[in-house]
Amino acid sequence: MRRRDAGSWARLRTANSEWLSPWEATLPREAGRPATSYVGMIGTLRRRGRLGQTMPFALTWNGEMIGMLTVNGISWGSARWANVGYWVARSHAGRSITPTAVALVCDHLMSTAGLHRIEIAIRPENAASLRVVEKLGFTEIGLAPRFLHIAGDWRDHRVFQILAEDAPEGLVARLPPISPD
């Protein structure tokens, strides 16, 4: 994620606001104000990245930003796990771009960074995201009631995980090739 991508990010978010709003994390009133700009968001992500707490990635297609994937809550020591969140532009949904991005990042997290467990939490009605974890072979481990503040209220999420030993060959190996369309 680069500061100079602010214009592209803003146009992408504006064009996809209706598509993303049902799944968009929001801050409850007592949490204070969210970052008000892309530059502020990038600054926060970079600070947390230097501390080993997060890894932000831009999703691109033919050199154009089309989404974002963020690894959050990285825990080292004896736990060695993190959670992954993502979004993609409506124009690029359904092309296996998101599962490929998730697979690439999870492979990096498990093989290079040495994490043991990756978790993804998904609202039960988010069929597109449920397809991502299904394609990659994540295991459902439960329901987290009122897990995350989304679209102005606390929402339930289904929780999925993949362990390093579940995918010794990596997750990318589980994917069919991406169509060039």
Side-chain angles (χ1 to χ4, degrees), residues 24-45:
E24 190 77 350
T26 52
L27 288 179
R29 187 171 316 171
E30 64 273 13
R33 298 180 62 182
T36 57
S37 70
Y38 174 84
V39 172
M41 177 188 72
I42 293 303
T44 298
L45 289 171

Side-chain angles (χ1 to χ4, degrees), residues 85-120:
Y86 47 83
W87 60 269
V88 67
R90 180 179 226 155
S91 60
H92 289 77
R95 296 185 183 186
S96 290
I97 295 167
T98 304
T100 300
V102 171
L104 285 165
V105 168
C106 286
D107 286 357
H108 170 74
L109 293 171
M110 291 186 288
S111 66
T112 304
L115 296 184
H116 176 255
R117 179 174 174 267
I118 311 300
E119 183 178 286
I120 297 178

Side-chain angles (χ1 to χ4, degrees), residues 99-100 102-108 110 118 120 132-133 135-138 161-164 166-176:
T100 300
V102 171
L104 285 165
V105 168
C106 286
D107 286 357
H108 170 74
M110 291 186 288
I118 311 300
I120 297 178
V132 171
V133 293
K135 285 179 183 181
L136 296 175
F138 275 68
Q161 74 174 15
I162 193 85
L163 303 175
D166 294 341
E169 74 290 352
L171 296 181
V172 172
R174 297 178 176 187
L175 292 171

Side-chain angles (χ1 to χ4, degrees), residues 2-165:
R2 303 171 302 195
R3 284 188 170 101
R4 67 179 177 218
D5 293 326
S8 297
W9 186 87
R11 284 187 297 278
L12 184 62
R13 296 292 300 185
T14 299
N16 287 278
S17 62
E18 185 178 319
W19 165 253
L20 298 171
S21 65
W23 323 116
E24 190 77 350
T26 52
L27 288 179
R29 187 171 316 171
E30 64 273 13
R33 298 180 62 182
T36 57
S37 70
Y38 174 84
V39 172
M41 177 188 72
I42 293 303
T44 298
L45 289 171
R46 286 185 175 178
R47 277 190 301 282
R48 292 183 62 225
R50 284 190 297 276
L51 295 170
Q53 299 170 340
T54 193
M55 292 182 197
F57 297 92
L59 302 184
T60 63
W61 186 260
N62 292 330
E64 175 188 346
M65 184 186 296
I66 59 162
M68 189 170 170
L69 184 151
T70 307
V71 180
N72 281 305
I74 299 172
S75 183
W76 300 102
S78 59
R80 304 194 74 79
W81 77 279
N83 62 63
V84 171
Y86 47 83
W87 60 269
V88 67
R90 180 179 226 155
S91 60
H92 289 77
R95 296 185 183 186
S96 290
I97 295 167
T98 304
T100 300
V102 171
L104 285 165
V105 168
C106 286
D107 286 357
H108 170 74
L109 293 171
M110 291 186 288
S111 66
T112 304
L115 296 184
H116 176 255
R117 179 174 174 267
I118 311 300
E119 183 178 286
I120 297 178
I122 302 170
R123 288 187 57 193
E125 58 276 16
N126 189 339
S129 278
L130 292 171
R131 283 192 299 277
V132 171
V133 293
E134 180 183 317
K135 285 179 183 181
L136 296 175
F138 275 68
T139 302
E140 186 165 4
I141 58 172
L143 179 71
R146 299 174 49 80
F147 177 74
L148 192 59
H149 202 267
I150 301 271
D153 202 0
W154 293 102
R155 310 290 179 166
D156 296 349
H157 281 64
R158 292 171 63 186
V159 181
F160 299 84
Q161 74 174 15
I162 193 85
L163 303 175
E165 59 267 23

